[in-house]
Amino acid sequence: MPLPPYSPELNPVKRYFQELRAKLSNKIFETIEEIMEALSRALAPYWEDPTKLASLTGYGWWLRSLPDMKTSH
């Protein structure tokens, strides 16, 4: 769905990235493996329960516009 230019508040992924930043920012990682582990821990709840991601990023107007997701959140 096309969004108006300069409207990041309408972009659902911004809310997802905001959650990830809250869990990962201002931390020092010594190795790539530590970063990957922290990222995996932060993403795990969304992998285990995809409805969490839908509730975080699924604006009602956005979900209603998708042909196969006629649910309201």
Side-chain angles (χ1 to χ4, degrees), residues 6 9 12 14-16 21 30 34-35 37-38 42 45-46 51 54 56-57 63-64 68-70:
Y6 309 108
E9 70 280 358
K14 297 288 186 180
R15 292 177 65 190
Y16 186 47
R21 269 191 231 107
E30 298 290 328
E34 287 180 13
I35 295 170
E37 178 62 32
Y46 303 103
T51 60
L56 182 64
T57 60
L63 292 175
R64 285 188 298 274
D68 61 345
M69 297 189 72
K70 298 290 185 185

Side-chain angles (χ1 to χ4, degrees), residues 3-16 18 59 61:
L3 296 174
Y6 309 108
S7 57
E9 70 280 358
L10 297 178
N11 188 343
V13 76
K14 297 288 186 180
R15 292 177 65 190
Y16 186 47
Q18 188 176 27
Y59 299 109
W61 58 267

Side-chain angles (χ1 to χ4, degrees), residues 20-35:
L20 291 179
R21 269 191 231 107
K23 294 176 182 172
L24 300 171
S25 64
N26 298 318
K27 295 186 178 12
I28 297 174
F29 300 100
E30 298 290 328
T31 65
I32 295 293
E33 289 77 20
E34 287 180 13
I35 295 170

